[in-house]
Amino acid sequence: MSLAENKSQIELEEKKDKKAIKEAEASVLFTLYIGFFIGLVPVIGFPITIPEMGGRILFIGLIIGIAAFISSFFTGTLFGMPKRNNIKESDYSLNNSLVEISDWLTKIIVGLGLVNLKEIPDFLISLGEYVRASSKYDNQLVNIYSIGIVVYFSFLGLYIGYNYMRLVLSNKYKYADDNLLEKKLEMARSEALEAKNENEQKEKEIVKIKSDIQDKVQLTKTLLKKVNDPIISETDVQSVINLMGSRKNIKDKGNLEHNIEKMLNEANLKLKKGLITNNSDPQKGQWKSNPINNERELKANVTEEAKGLFKIKIQVVSTDPENNPLKNDDLILFALHNTFGEPPFRIVKVANQTAELNFYSYGSFTVGAFVDYGTTELELDLAELPNVSNYFKSH
């Protein structure tokens, strides 16, 4: 059933309930009018037969009848007072104080009535004697007259009060309470719908932000790859040899090609082994785990260009440049993280006793190096450098 159909069904049921309440009210009022008409016939008829004191007795009878009817009507409403179960989880709670009071009074009245049941006839007789004495009309008919009025209007008031509360007032109370609960429920639904819409909007914003972040990360990786692309192809040995300068400076071309191929092959083997043992940092532990070896040192400097983008300068130098310097035009192989191409190696020519490589990265990793044509291995974990940010260390 759709929401519109459900609302239409509820409105139809409310119309039926209102019609039933009106019919019940009309029925109770009709009974009240008939009861009053029947009761007033003897109340008025008896005093008429007493010309000298009829007015006084009529007035007394009316007072007794009204008092009996009102008191018993109130008792009837107590007996007919409905009870409603509150939903404890609801924010709105119906006030049942009057219901509780009516419950207590009903129990008290019933209890006292049962305890004093045998004394009721004596009470009625005493009332009749009192009315006869007060009216100053010494006739036993006054006793019957007053007792009859009390009994009749008491039962009439009890019947009318109970049915009026049970069939009319209780439904009106229920209708009013239901309207309050419905308004509260409607407010809760509106707040829930508003909260749902806000959550959906926030989720959309979160998805958009995640998408933007992923796009930026992908763009950063692409830019880094373009920026860090090697000038020469590591697999093209001839291009590496050309890096040495003119061919007349090459004393032993065959030996140089052999050394370069050997360094590349061994670096590839280390990379494959590292990808198995430590996939996130494959060069770590593959280059003897020491940045200084055979009077050669691998060092680095990290500069944060922007949030999440770092410029890294790595160098290989001699720790004893006077006695054991790096030879100019020698080739140094740097092994980077596997995300820096395939294979992730850079070959740099020594100049001014230093081999230097500059590139960009968005996090730390371990760098390996072959010096002296593969006879010296160096290793440096960039995360262990001093004065680098925690962001760089953790990414």
Side-chain angles (χ1 to χ4, degrees):
M1 183 181 292
S2 65
L3 184 62
E5 292 177 348
N6 188 28
K7 187 175 182 180
S8 177
Q9 183 68 23
I10 293 174
E11 291 177 352
L12 183 61
E13 290 178 358
E14 288 180 353
K15 290 181 179 179
K16 290 182 179 179
D17 291 340
K18 290 180 180 179
K19 184 178 179 181
I21 292 173
K22 290 182 179 180
E23 291 177 354
E25 186 173 10
S27 176
V28 172
L29 290 176
F30 178 76
T31 304
L32 174 64
Y33 297 151
I34 295 298
F36 269 133
F37 177 77
I38 295 174
L40 288 175
V41 170
V43 170
I44 298 173
F46 176 71
I48 293 176
T49 61
I50 309 172
E52 66 275 12
M53 301 187 66
R56 179 184 297 181
I57 294 175
L58 176 61
F59 185 73
I60 293 173
L62 291 175
I63 292 176
I64 294 174
I66 292 172
F69 179 83
I70 292 176
S71 59
S72 58
F73 179 87
F74 175 73
T75 304
T77 57
L78 293 180
F79 288 166
M81 186 75 69
K83 293 183 179 180
R84 294 205 57 181
N85 295 323
N86 289 339
I87 302 175
K88 295 182 179 180
E89 294 78 6
S90 175
D91 293 333
Y92 174 78
S93 178
L94 297 176
N95 188 346
N96 282 330
S97 300
L98 184 59
V99 175
E100 293 175 359
I101 293 173
S102 70
D103 189 38
W104 299 336
L105 291 176
T106 300
K107 292 177 181 178
I108 292 172
I109 292 171
V110 172
L112 291 175
L114 292 175
V115 171
N116 299 291
L117 185 63
K118 63 181 180 179
E119 298 179 6
I120 292 178
D122 294 336
F123 169 76
L124 292 175
I125 293 173
S126 299
L127 177 63
E129 293 290 340
Y130 178 78
V131 171
R132 187 181 66 175
S134 299
S135 64
K136 297 179 181 181
Y137 182 70
D138 190 11
N139 192 322
Q140 292 294 331
L141 292 176
V142 176
N143 294 14
I144 298 172
Y145 174 75
S146 58
I147 292 173
I149 291 174
V150 170
V151 172
Y152 178 81
F153 282 98
S154 294
F155 277 103
L156 178 64
L158 184 66
Y159 177 82
I160 297 297
Y162 177 84
N163 284 281
Y164 189 72
M165 174 58 74
R166 188 71 183 85
L167 300 177
V168 181
L169 286 182
S170 61
N171 288 322
K172 290 184 176 181
Y173 291 156
K174 179 178 178 297
Y175 181 73
D177 291 338
D178 287 344
N179 283 340
L180 290 175
L181 291 174
E182 185 64 29
K183 289 180 181 178
K184 188 67 178 178
L185 182 60
E186 190 65 30
M187 290 176 61
R189 287 174 180 170
S190 178
E191 291 175 358
L193 182 60
E194 184 177 352
K196 181 181 177 182
N197 292 335
E198 289 180 358
N199 289 335
E200 290 179 352
Q201 188 64 29
K202 289 180 180 179
E203 288 178 358
K204 290 180 180 179
E205 292 178 358
I206 291 173
V207 171
K208 186 177 182 300
I209 292 172
K210 287 182 177 179
S211 178
D212 292 342
I213 291 174
Q214 290 177 354
D215 292 342
K216 290 180 179 179
V217 169
Q218 187 62 37
L219 178 60
T220 302
K221 290 181 179 180
T222 303
L223 291 175
L224 288 175
K225 186 176 183 303
K226 292 294 183 182
V227 171
N228 296 325
D229 274 346
I231 299 174
I232 60 172
S233 173
E234 295 80 359
T235 57
D236 186 359
V237 178
Q238 188 61 46
S239 64
V240 175
I241 295 174
N242 291 338
L243 184 66
M244 298 290 293
S246 60
R247 293 181 180 271
K248 65 180 181 178
N249 295 328
I250 302 175
K251 298 178 180 179
D252 190 352
K253 177 182 176 182
N255 188 45
L256 181 60
E257 291 179 354
H258 173 75
N259 288 335
I260 294 173
E261 288 181 351
K262 181 182 178 182
M263 286 193 298
L264 289 171
N265 291 335
E266 290 185 6
N268 269 312
L269 290 175
K270 291 178 181 293
L271 177 61
K272 291 178 181 179
K273 183 180 178 181
L275 288 172
I276 295 173
T277 58
N278 189 356
N279 183 265
S280 62
D281 193 6
Q283 304 295 352
K284 192 172 184 63
Q286 303 300 318
W287 302 83
K288 296 186 178 180
S289 303
N290 198 333
I292 301 176
N293 187 21
N294 293 337
E295 297 181 345
R296 304 289 186 255
E297 181 182 4
L298 176 61
K299 59 184 182 179
N301 181 58
V302 178
T303 303
E304 187 171 3
E305 297 281 332
K307 183 66 174 179
L309 181 63
F310 302 89
K311 183 178 181 180
I312 301 175
K313 179 174 72 175
I314 56 176
Q315 293 177 320
V316 173
V317 296
S318 172
T319 58
D320 187 5
E322 293 183 0
N323 300 317
N324 189 13
L326 284 175
K327 296 178 182 179
N328 288 333
D329 293 336
D330 277 1
L331 297 180
I332 308 297
L333 183 143
F334 291 102
L336 308 179
H337 194 271
N338 58 300
T339 56
F340 281 81
E342 188 175 345
F345 308 134
R346 305 290 186 270
I347 297 177
V348 179
K349 183 174 67 171
V350 176
N352 298 323
Q353 297 189 11
T354 302
E356 182 177 308
L357 177 65
N358 294 281
F359 57 90
Y360 288 89
S361 175
Y362 52 85
S364 60
F365 56 90
T366 300
V367 179
F370 268 140
V371 188
D372 301 325
Y373 291 103
T375 59
T376 301
E377 296 181 17
L378 303 175
E379 181 178 319
L380 176 63
D381 188 349
L382 298 178
E384 296 176 359
L385 292 173
N387 302 324
V388 294
S389 66
N390 291 328
Y391 181 92
F392 179 75
K393 292 179 181 180
S394 61
H395 287 75

